[in-house]
Amino acid sequence: DFRKAVTNGGMAQFQEVIRQELENSMKQDLERLQATASKDEAEITRKDFEGFMKLFHRFLQEKGPSVDWGKIQRPPEDSIQPYEKIKSKGLPDNVASVLNKLVVVKLNGGLGTSMGCKGPKSLISVRNENTFLDLTVQQIEHLNKTYNTDVPLVLMNSFNTDEDTNKILQKYTHCRVKIHTFNQSRYPRINKESLLPIAKDMSKMGDNAETWYPPGHGDIYGSFYNSGLLDKLIAEGKEYIFVSNIDNLGATVDLYILNHLMSQPNGKRCEFVMEVTDKTRADVKGGTLTQYGGKLRLLEIAQVPKAHVDEFKSVSKFKIFNTNNLWISLAAIKRLQEQNAMDMEIIVNPKTLNGGLNVIQLETAVGAAIKSFDNALGINVPRSRFLPVKTTSDLLLVMSNLYSLNAGSLTMSEKREFPTVPLTKLGSSFTKVQDFLMRFESIPDMLELDHLTVSGDVTFGKNVCLKGTVIIIANHGDRIDIPAGAVLENKIVSGNLRILDH
């Protein structure tokens, strides 16, 4: 076949033959794996593998970068609206009527491994013993009680988080929130060299645990549709989902955005809203909205040709980034799924497994589908709607007196004089939540803090107050104990400081 292809039609035909061979080999491998699935898993596995084959087929077809840099334009003025303009429309007389058409969806597929925790990240305590999940449930329960509504919570779990999450859901049975869950797909990691699955069978145990992955949050559309939950919610009269990462504590239901969506004429309704916010130097890698081929399009750093990466990171050219707070029409998701018209760029995510084997994961991002929806819109929201907790440095901020907690929502303290949070960098001794908590007898007063850097073996006593720029560096072998009640203002502390007797 190869020789024939080369002699008859040159390189293009040769590549097509190789693609066909790879696809056939992949199909055979997936059939072999499918045969090891239990009866309960057989149908789910079949649907997962169908989705994976579509992605794999596209991956083999694509040549070079998915964007032509010369065609990227700034979005038209009216395609990204300022939040103040949306807010100025006010609220309807009957808030309940719009709220009852909403479903809150939280992306709950991630583990807490980057913060040294086992199990779902959503079960890490972030404030007053409340976990991410607790705060989410409290927010929605507060809405339902205040407006006498029935806004449900939907969790998109992964095979990594499903079991532990469902165990914990028992504790919310008496809350005024209906909670549904569905699972992301489970896709096979593939060998970087052979481009074939490395899994031996369908089990998720032992050595085989590393052979599977959840394929990014862009999988929400297919798995939500396949679960039957999408149709169920449409039948109940629900019209929009508000999707966000469960670790973004700023992603609360915004009644003004919801009212804007609901108050548009039916034929012209916006099917997709992406909340964006102004970039700071800390956000230069965040995806941004551009105009491309007459449509709004999410541009991620991974899609940018190397020669243009600095331009992409420029705060002056690309001023906003995607918060991953999205408002999406349920009917539109159903239509696009049934027409097989959901178009998302493939993210190729390389990984090295514990044994040193190089694999790749094919993923998609939920926001990338914006170009498939009608009348899509960006809304430039205040920074307060983007409060992700990815590290213990972020955790320190949300546990501190910078924020007050009310009905599951964190709001910045009125005593803070500037609207931005301090730039905080905690060293590797603080990476794991357990170590982080042991190093603070109580969380310091940070109301007047601008910048904090801590490195090395450092502990904080009770009631420490940090102001201005504070840098604390314990060199290797040294230890610094900040005494109880200390006030550090524009201070650099280094060397060895142990408070043993006081």
Side-chain angles (χ1 to χ4, degrees), residues 179-202:
I179 304 178
H180 307 278
T181 65
F182 70 94
N183 266 17
Q184 263 176 283
S185 305
R186 172 158 72 116
Y187 284 0
R189 282 176 166 157
I190 54 181
N191 185 309
K192 195 177 176 185
E193 301 304 319
S194 68
L195 295 183
L196 292 172
I198 57 169
K200 303 281 185 285
D201 54 49
M202 290 302 299

Side-chain angles (χ1 to χ4, degrees), residues 12-229:
Q13 217 172 340
F14 177 57
Q15 285 169 335
E16 185 53 40
V17 170
I18 289 182
R19 274 199 291 269
Q20 284 294 326
E21 286 290 321
L22 269 171
E23 280 200 51
N24 290 337
S25 299
M26 177 62 81
K27 274 180 189 153
Q28 286 165 9
D29 274 22
L30 294 183
E31 281 165 13
R32 173 181 57 76
L33 288 167
Q34 168 98 46
T36 70
S38 67
K39 272 187 180 172
D40 297 343
E41 281 187 316
E43 183 56 18
I44 296 168
T45 302
R46 187 186 64 76
K47 284 181 176 172
D48 284 355
F49 285 179
E50 268 179 20
F52 177 77
M53 273 311 296
K54 280 181 192 167
L55 207 54
F56 186 68
H57 174 77
R58 281 178 48 215
F59 165 68
L60 294 179
Q61 296 292 330
E62 284 182 4
K63 305 169 191 73
S66 56
V67 291
D68 175 346
W69 193 256
K71 290 182 183 171
I72 289 171
Q73 297 171 310
R74 284 192 180 180
E77 283 298 309
D78 61 346
S79 66
I80 299 179
Q81 298 274 348
Y83 177 74
E84 290 310 315
K85 187 177 175 186
I86 302 295
K87 195 174 178 180
S88 67
K89 288 175 85 165
L91 293 178
D93 297 335
N94 185 0
V95 171
S97 64
V98 293
L99 263 177
N100 274 326
K101 292 177 180 169
L102 181 70
V103 177
V104 175
V105 179
K106 293 286 179 182
L107 304 171
N108 185 47
L111 294 167
T113 41
S114 63
M115 291 165 78
C117 295
K118 287 185 172 151
K121 186 174 182 183
S122 57
L123 307 185
I124 296 174
S125 289
V126 280
R127 181 84 187 212
N128 306 356
E129 302 301 310
N130 288 298
T131 64
F132 290 106
L133 189 53
D134 291 336
L135 295 176
T136 300
V137 172
Q138 287 167 28
Q139 288 164 20
I140 301 173
E141 184 171 47
H142 177 68
L143 272 180
N144 284 337
K145 283 180 172 173
T146 305
Y147 296 103
N148 191 25
T149 50
D150 180 24
V151 177
L153 169 64
V154 173
L155 299 172
M156 178 166 88
N157 298 337
S158 66
F159 62 86
N160 290 319
T161 62
D162 186 52
E163 196 178 326
D164 289 342
T165 301
N166 280 314
K167 276 182 201 159
I168 219 88
L169 291 182
Q170 304 300 318
K171 78 186 238 193
Y172 306 116
T173 44
H174 300 297
C175 290
R176 193 171 160 177
V177 182
K178 281 185 195 148
I179 304 178
H180 307 278
T181 65
F182 70 94
N183 266 17
Q184 263 176 283
S185 305
R186 172 158 72 116
Y187 284 0
R189 282 176 166 157
I190 54 181
N191 185 309
K192 195 177 176 185
E193 301 304 319
S194 68
L195 295 183
L196 292 172
I198 57 169
K200 303 281 185 285
D201 54 49
M202 290 302 299
S203 79
K204 303 187 280 276
M205 310 305 285
D207 293 343
N208 222 38
E210 274 200 314
T211 65
W212 302 100
Y213 72 99
H217 40 56
D219 183 57
I220 185 171
Y221 304 108
S223 50
F224 193 22
Y225 177 80
N226 287 340
S227 71
L229 193 51

Side-chain angles (χ1 to χ4, degrees), residues 393-394 396 422-427 430 451-455 470 472:
S393 300
D394 299 330
L396 178 63
L423 194 60
T424 309
K425 294 177 184 172
L426 299 178
F430 292 80
H451 180 116
L452 174 68
T453 295
V454 184
S455 177
V470 178
I472 306 168

Side-chain angles (χ1 to χ4, degrees), residues 377-388:
L377 181 69
I379 298 180
N380 192 344
V381 297
R383 181 74 185 200
S384 56
R385 291 192 56 73
F386 184 67
L387 186 57

Side-chain angles (χ1 to χ4, degrees), residues 286-385:
T288 193
L289 277 181
T290 60
Q291 175 88 345
Y292 193 91
K295 287 268 195 179
L296 267 189
R297 176 163 174 164
L298 178 65
L299 178 67
E300 300 276 12
I301 194 163
Q303 298 164 263
V304 177
K306 280 196 173 63
H308 297 282
V309 165
D310 287 343
E311 198 181 332
F312 175 83
K313 288 181 176 179
S314 141
V315 178
S316 56
K317 177 157 186 180
F318 297 104
K319 293 184 166 68
I320 47 117
F321 74 97
N322 167 29
T323 63
N324 223 34
N325 300 347
L326 308 166
W327 304 74
I328 313 171
S329 156
L330 284 164
I333 295 174
K334 182 177 166 73
R335 180 189 79 235
L336 291 166
Q337 277 301 124
E338 288 178 346
Q339 292 172 355
N340 197 19
M342 199 72 78
D343 181 14
M344 290 171 281
E345 289 75 33
I346 296 172
I347 300 162
V348 180
N349 189 356
K351 297 265 179 190
T352 303
L353 302 187
N354 288 333
L357 181 68
N358 291 323
V359 296
I360 55 175
Q361 301 179 175
L362 304 181
E363 302 176 6
T364 54
V366 57
I370 187 168
K371 62 179 183 289
S372 303
F373 289 85
D374 293 338
N375 307 316
L377 181 69
I379 298 180
N380 192 344
V381 297
R383 181 74 185 200
S384 56
R385 291 192 56 73

Side-chain angles (χ1 to χ4, degrees), residues 428-440:
S428 56
S429 306
F430 292 80
T431 302
K432 294 182 176 177
V433 173
Q434 205 176 344
D435 297 340
F436 162 87
L437 293 172
M438 281 170 59
R439 291 182 176 277
F440 290 98

